[in-house]
Amino acid sequence: MGADGEGREPERAAAEPGPSGGRVRGMPGVNRKAAGGRSWFAVGFSLGLGATLAWLTVQTVLEVGSLLTLLLLAVFLALALEPVVVWLTGHRMRRGWAVAVVLVLLLALFAGFLALVVPPAADEINALVKAVPGWLRDLHDHNSTLGRFEDRYHLVEKAKQQFSSGGAAGLAGGLLGAGKFVVGAVTSAAIVIVVTVYVMAFLPGLKRFCLRFVAASKRPHTQEVTEEVLNRVGRYMLGNIATSVIAGAATFVWCAVLGVPYPAALGVFIALMDLIPIVGSTIGGLVVSLVALSVSFPVALATAGFYVGFRLAEDYLIVPRVMKFAVDVHPLVTVVGVLIGGALLGVIGALVAIPAAVAIGIVLDEHVFSRTDAS
């Protein structure tokens, strides 16, 4: 009996299905297909959950995209002003006082700009308001140019019909939209200013906090690379200011030579607008050309041509050479980076494109090219 039992055990073990059979060894009564089905269900559920979370994340980022853009602009402004704050703290000034001094200087520059721009703009608006009654009289004078134009096209009657047939609602909607735009612009400016001040005041602590995510053995080298990136961002901002000063000086000389009114105010306006990549100088040139129209149409046409030529020279000659000297970036990288950044994030993307290219170049030099050159 014992011998027979011992003899049947191998036969019973051999009769049990192995790994290729329908049952799983060590799992009595459980079929491998059923186990495999549950595992595929778990994988599918995990993929579906991951896709849903990814979709929700993308939607959330899109919803707060404008806010993230403002935060990015504030951080960039804080990093651009950091060299000035460091220079002040190097002269035995506490960081809080250094940030306050920088803010006071910026407010003083803004007040000076308003002092140059507001009086001419107010004069033009007053002249426009005073000219409106004369234009209305000319509309009813059949011997004047405006009167003959009114007799032919009946503009006043068409305006009354448009206003009575719903134009009032459209005008109210336009005014409401303009009011929302102004409120949104003021709110965005306040957010940028507040975040910029906080980042400037607490930048050393923020850098120490971010470095804690890096391993302690690699922290000193990472800190050196970070400081180099921040230093080049500051130099980029100085280079951008230099190109803006060139644009403002060229505008002042052009307007003074051709007799365009308010050359100093227009020069400062162009210098500020030129700080905005891609569209800044274009908008500024359009405004100056419209002001030059008050002199004569040929002067306005010549001014528009001047800004077209200056824009080409600035984009392909001045800016690449200044950035090559300031941040050691190839001119081709400067042009391509600004175009790509503007296409992705608009004005903010164009503004941070060159610093981003600088940071990527430093990281590649330190962590990629150094290894490939050594291998």
Side-chain angles (χ1 to χ4, degrees):
M1 188 70 180
D4 294 339
E6 292 177 0
R8 291 193 185 98
E9 286 297 330
E11 296 176 1
R12 191 179 304 166
E16 292 182 359
S20 59
R23 299 185 181 274
V24 183
R25 185 180 299 274
M27 296 177 62
V30 178
N31 192 277
R32 286 185 60 87
K33 295 182 179 180
R38 284 199 297 271
S39 64
W40 279 111
F41 174 78
V43 171
F45 180 79
S46 300
L47 291 176
L49 181 61
T52 303
L53 292 177
W55 182 82
L56 291 176
T57 303
V58 171
Q59 293 298 318
T60 303
V61 171
L62 292 177
E63 288 292 333
V64 299
S66 58
L67 180 59
L68 294 177
T69 302
L70 294 178
L71 295 178
L72 178 62
L73 177 60
V75 171
F76 174 75
L77 292 177
L79 296 179
L81 295 173
E82 178 64 12
V84 182
V85 177
V86 171
W87 184 82
L88 291 175
T89 54
H91 287 72
R92 298 181 180 180
M93 182 179 293
R94 300 179 66 177
R95 186 172 184 87
W97 287 107
V99 172
V101 169
V102 172
L103 291 177
V104 170
L105 292 177
L106 292 177
L107 291 176
L109 291 175
F110 183 70
F113 170 72
L114 292 180
L116 287 174
V117 173
V118 170
D123 293 340
E124 295 297 329
I125 293 175
N126 290 331
L128 179 63
V129 171
K130 292 179 180 179
V132 169
W135 293 344
L136 293 177
R137 288 194 301 268
D138 291 340
L139 283 174
H140 296 87
D141 185 2
H142 301 285
N143 295 322
S144 64
T145 303
L146 285 177
R148 291 192 296 269
F149 196 77
E150 165 62 19
D151 292 338
R152 183 173 182 179
Y153 295 101
H154 305 288
L155 298 178
V156 176
E157 186 65 26
K158 290 180 180 179
K160 290 180 179 179
Q161 293 177 359
Q162 182 69 22
F163 190 80
S164 61
S165 63
L171 179 61
L175 293 177
L176 182 61
K180 290 182 178 179
F181 175 78
V182 172
V183 172
V186 172
T187 304
S188 299
I191 292 174
V192 170
I193 292 174
V194 171
V195 176
T196 301
V197 172
Y198 272 97
V199 173
M200 289 173 60
F202 301 104
L203 185 58
L206 291 175
K207 289 191 292 186
R208 288 194 298 269
F209 174 76
C210 294
L211 286 174
R212 293 187 64 184
F213 291 95
V214 182
S217 59
K218 300 180 180 180
R219 206 168 289 171
H221 180 66
T222 304
Q223 184 175 5
E224 293 179 1
V225 174
T226 303
E227 294 297 334
E228 179 65 20
V229 171
L230 296 181
N231 182 33
R232 293 200 184 184
V233 169
R235 288 162 58 185
Y236 159 72
M237 195 63 187
L238 294 178
N240 200 7
I241 292 175
T243 58
S244 298
V245 170
I246 294 173
T251 299
F252 173 77
V253 172
W254 177 268
C255 293
V257 170
L258 295 184
V260 179
Y262 317 118
L266 293 177
V268 176
F269 173 73
I270 288 295
L272 292 177
M273 292 299 296
D274 195 73
L275 291 173
I276 304 174
I278 297 179
V279 298
S281 59
T282 301
I283 296 175
L286 179 61
V287 171
V288 176
S289 300
L290 292 176
V291 175
L293 192 60
S294 62
V295 179
S296 66
F297 181 75
V299 172
L301 190 61
T303 302
F306 165 76
Y307 275 104
V308 171
F310 183 82
R311 174 64 188 274
L312 294 175
E314 183 183 40
D315 288 346
Y316 297 101
L317 293 178
I318 300 175
V319 172
R321 293 181 181 274
V322 171
M323 293 307 165
K324 174 68 176 177
F325 175 76
V327 294
D328 193 21
V329 177
H330 195 276
L332 181 61
V333 176
T334 301
V335 175
V336 174
V338 170
L339 293 177
I340 295 177
L344 293 177
L345 294 176
V347 175
I348 308 302
L351 192 63
V352 303
I354 298 178
V358 171
I360 293 174
I362 293 176
V363 172
L364 290 177
D365 288 338
E366 294 292 332
H367 297 284
V368 178
F369 296 151
S370 59
R371 296 179 181 179
T372 57
D373 293 339
S375 60

